[in-house]
Amino acid sequence: MTREVDNKTTSGQEPALDLSELRQQIDALDSELVQILAKRSALTRQVGEFKSKTGLPIYVPSREAQLLDSRKAQAKEVGLSESLIEDVLRRVMRESYQTQNKHYLCACPEVQNIVIIGGHGALGSKFVTMFERSGYHVDIIDKDGWHEADSLFATAGLVLVAVPIRQTEQVIRTLSQLPENCILADITSVKSGPVKAMLETHQGPVVGLHPMFGPDVPGLVKQVVVISHGRQPEQYEWLLEQFRIWGAALIESTPEKHDEAMAFIQVMRHFSSFVYGAHLAAENPCLTELLKLSSPIYRLELAMVGRLFAQDPVLYGDIIFSSDTGKALLKRFHGRFDEAMALLESGDKQQFVSQFTAIAEWFGDYASQCLADSKKLLLKADDDRTLETGV
Amino acid sequence: MTREVDNKTTSGQEPALDLSELRQQIDALDSELVQILAKRSALTRQVGEFKSKTGLPIYVPSREAQLLDSRKAQAKEVGLSESLIEDVLRRVMRESYQTQNKHYLCACPEVQNIVIIGGHGALGSKFVTMFERSGYHVDIIDKDGWHEADSLFATAGLVLVAVPIRQTEQVIRTLSQLPENCILADITSVKSGPVKAMLETHQGPVVGLHPMFGPDVPGLVKQVVVISHGRQPEQYEWLLEQFRIWGAALIESTPEKHDEAMAFIQVMRHFSSFVYGAHLAAENPCLTELLKLSSPIYRLELAMVGRLFAQDPVLYGDIIFSSDTGKALLKRFHGRFDEAMALLESGDKQQFVSQFTAIAEWFGDYASQCLADSKKLLLKADDDRTLETGV
């Protein structure tokens, strides 16, 4: 305070504020911020109600883009970072996507009931909730619920198979008595076998689905669902429409193409993480020490490996062991590991550099885009850090 | 509009707002938001000036925690998501850390000049800027600047070696004529060799530094710098203080422990990404197709591999080929890959599950923490997605 008086005396101008006064003003602004966000959230809830009545989609890319563009333009005018306001608004919009809808428009009110086999499972129960929130009557069949299956099937407009991979085809084969206009669908992470089994077992509409997300997503907005068409797509159009109402992004793929892609996306990824984890556990370094010394990207990489081991070993065993395409891919991956090791042991750094350059060419522009995206993400990851240092 | 009138007529109450009115109100709130953030940023700039005069650190964990706690408490009261306000404030604080300081307090005004060898390089030039912004006179020696080296060294209080790994020790060996009280330091990503070389070449204060970040970080706030003490720490205490003023987190490690950790953190990570990239390029799948079908975590994993190939092959060749500890670690990693492949080929899923479980036990609580952290981060990554779908 003395300092402030001194300033005033010597300069004759408004004094510079001291730290605690500046902090008080910052706190006051932050408090306004909370209030604005609370008001905003009340408005987006109203938007949600409006949309659930009218069936308008929750996520509208053009509205999102227009909203961001106006605020970025305003930010530019007042000298605020455009990427700051963009990041803040995107985070705020995520919240509103998640909380907007407790209820969704029902795309097909004529459907009497939906049966979800495995509806008590992690992902199965997610779909139970989504259908129920959209006004459908949902029945669940689980391990011990098969005695009433026939009566449930009799009126079903959709039977969704949501059991573990290794049981999927076997369960499908039991479904030969469904009403002919009933849709048969599954949500397993392989598609060739299940779609084939569904087509062979059931004569009505058939569609294979693969939701590319885990049971822990807060909602389906922006989440990818792969669609492998089976038979009579016009009969299950309402089901796809229901996914769109939930905000999902539907991507079409044949069962075969899907399974080839999944060999890369799932089998190779999970297997690599498994080997990385096995290696770490065997080497037994001090994790705390490693993390303390780490760059943000390494902490992220380690988190991506570590997260596998907080999940169900049987599920991942199923994914890795059940795909022949995956196994063949891993075998070739193994061969490439051998080659890279031989290169390292030869000490031929020049050859390493030229292989590296060739791979970079294969990645093309995507590599620099990855660098830019991951930088942005690492900054976000770092926002959450609190550090206690040792020096 | 007709709709609204109807509502009023039939219900006699205030009408529900229609979508465009709700959106207008949201836009008005967002506009207030921009103004508040602009005011806040003006205040934090003043905080920055205050701190740069007084030498107070930019990042003060306790202030950050207190600020977040008050707003989260307020959010709870008004029914706003606490994690939303926390994420928003953390993002806002990042911006203020980055823009707060154009100038920093000089920890040691007595230092006449600092010489940075390799100061035109990517990371070297980052340090040139940081020292200059803190009021030091900095001279740069680069490939062709050695003719004036002796006169620059004569008055130097610090000589910082910032050249590529493969040249570091060789450059250090030429520095036998530094003034005895001059600090000799390096910023290479290996520490045993360089610290040994510095101790043997120079009789005065010696310290090895490893900044765990790339040249693209916006500032040093919360960034980790590893410190390997060499000799006469009391002589270079001001240098560490300068890093603290910049906001860096200093972590002490011996050169040997550092290098062991880096075998995991750098060598293994870069080599794995290299093999993964080599495999992808050889398999040649359609990247666009893969990305379209991907889960958020796979897109992130692919980005972490792809980013490597947007960077300097020689740098990564140096990192991988220059570490004997790293090479030995990779050899054992290779062995573990062989074992995992043999397990896969045996088809023994039970054995896979029990190995998986053992690894999960090794990771301990860290695995679930990884899962939670990566979930949070994946949500942030997804905030940035805009989707155009094919169905």
Side-chain angles (χ1 to χ4, degrees), chain B residues 348-366:
Chain B
D348 189 346
K349 221 194 288 187
Q350 197 43 54
Q351 178 59 21
F352 174 87
V353 169
S354 70
Q355 284 192 19
F356 188 112
T357 310
I359 300 167
E361 272 163 29
W362 181 79
F363 271 102
D365 292 342
Y366 181 66

Side-chain angles (χ1 to χ4, degrees), chain A residues 22-23 25-27 29-34 36 40 43 59 63 71 74 81 83-84 87 90-91 94-95 212 216 222 226 244 249-250 252 261 264-265 268-269 276 278-279 282-285 290-291 293 295 297-298 300-301 303 306-311 313 317-318 321 329-334 336-338 341 344-345 349 352 356 359-360 362 366-367 370-371 374-375 377 379-380 383-387 389-391, chain B residues 23 25-27 29-34 36 40 43 46 59 63 71 74 81 83-84 87 90-91 94-95 212 216 222 226 244 249-250 252 261 264-265 268-269 276 278-279 282-285 290-291 293 295 297-298 300-301 303 306-310 313 317-318 321 329-334 336-338 341 344-345 349 352 356 359-360 362 366-367 370-371 374-375 377 379-380 383-387 389-391:
Chain A
L22 287 167
R23 283 181 171 168
Q25 293 195 14
I26 290 172
D27 288 346
L29 285 177
D30 288 350
S31 169
E32 276 186 60
L33 191 71
V34 172
I36 288 183
R40 195 187 195 284
L43 287 173
Y59 167 55
R63 161 68 181 159
R71 285 324 123 204
Q74 185 193 355
S81 150
S83 78
L84 171 63
D87 284 351
R90 284 191 183 281
R91 176 62 185 86
R94 184 217 303 170
E95 200 74 18
M212 297 303 300
D216 45 21
K222 296 190 186 184
V226 180
R244 284 188 208 104
L250 307 185
E252 287 175 330
F264 286 99
I265 294 172
M268 198 169 129
R269 163 168 169 66
Y276 206 120
H279 181 46
E283 292 288 325
N284 195 24
L290 277 191
L291 287 167
L293 291 175
S295 56
I297 188 143
Y298 184 72
L300 185 52
E301 161 135 328
R307 80 194 295 279
L308 178 73
F309 297 98
Q311 297 176 75
D318 279 353
F321 281 76
L329 182 68
L330 287 178
K331 223 167 162 167
R332 297 194 296 279
F333 185 31
H334 188 208
R336 273 150 202 146
F337 198 116
D338 293 342
M341 273 310 291
L344 179 65
E345 280 171 21
K349 220 195 286 187
F352 173 88
F356 188 111
I359 300 165
W362 181 79
Y366 180 65
C370 286
L371 188 61
S374 59
K375 258 180 216 174
L377 194 63
L379 286 173
K380 290 186 182 183
D383 288 347
D384 295 336
R385 294 194 81 199
T386 43
L387 292 172
T389 69
V391 183
Chain B
R23 283 180 171 169
Q25 292 195 14
I26 289 172
D27 289 344
L29 284 178
D30 288 350
S31 170
E32 276 185 61
L33 191 70
V34 172
I36 287 183
R40 194 186 195 284
L43 287 174
Q46 288 185 53
Y59 168 55
R63 160 71 181 156
R71 288 321 124 205
Q74 186 192 355
S81 149
S83 78
L84 171 63
D87 285 350
R90 284 190 183 279
R91 176 63 185 86
R94 185 218 301 172
E95 201 72 17
M212 297 304 301
D216 44 24
K222 295 191 187 185
V226 180
R244 285 187 207 106
L250 307 186
E252 287 175 332
F264 287 100
I265 293 173
M268 198 170 132
R269 160 166 173 69
Y276 206 121
H279 180 48
E283 294 288 325
N284 196 24
L290 277 191
L291 287 168
L293 292 174
S295 56
I297 189 146
Y298 184 71
L300 185 52
E301 161 134 326
R307 80 194 297 277
L308 178 73
F309 297 97
D318 279 353
F321 282 76
L329 182 68
L330 288 178
K331 222 166 162 167
R332 297 194 297 277
F333 185 32
H334 188 208
R336 270 145 204 150
F337 198 116
D338 293 343
M341 274 310 293
L344 179 65
E345 280 171 19
K349 221 194 288 187
F352 174 87
F356 188 112
I359 300 167
W362 181 79
Y366 181 66
C370 285
L371 189 62
S374 59
K375 258 180 213 170
L377 194 63
L379 287 173
K380 290 188 182 181
D383 287 347
D384 295 335
R385 294 194 80 198
T386 44
L387 292 171
T389 70
V391 182

Side-chain angles (χ1 to χ4, degrees), chain A residues 43 49-50 62 64-65 85 116 163 177 198 208 232 240 255 260 275 284 292 318 327 348-350 373:
Chain A
L43 287 173
E49 282 163 27
F50 185 92
S62 61
E64 190 176 289
I85 190 69
I116 301 190
V163 300
Q177 304 301 322
M198 291 193 292
Q232 300 176 20
L240 305 190
E260 275 167 37
V275 179
N284 195 24
K292 250 173 59 183
D318 279 353
K327 246 182 248 179
D348 189 347
K349 220 195 286 187
Q350 197 44 54
D373 288 353

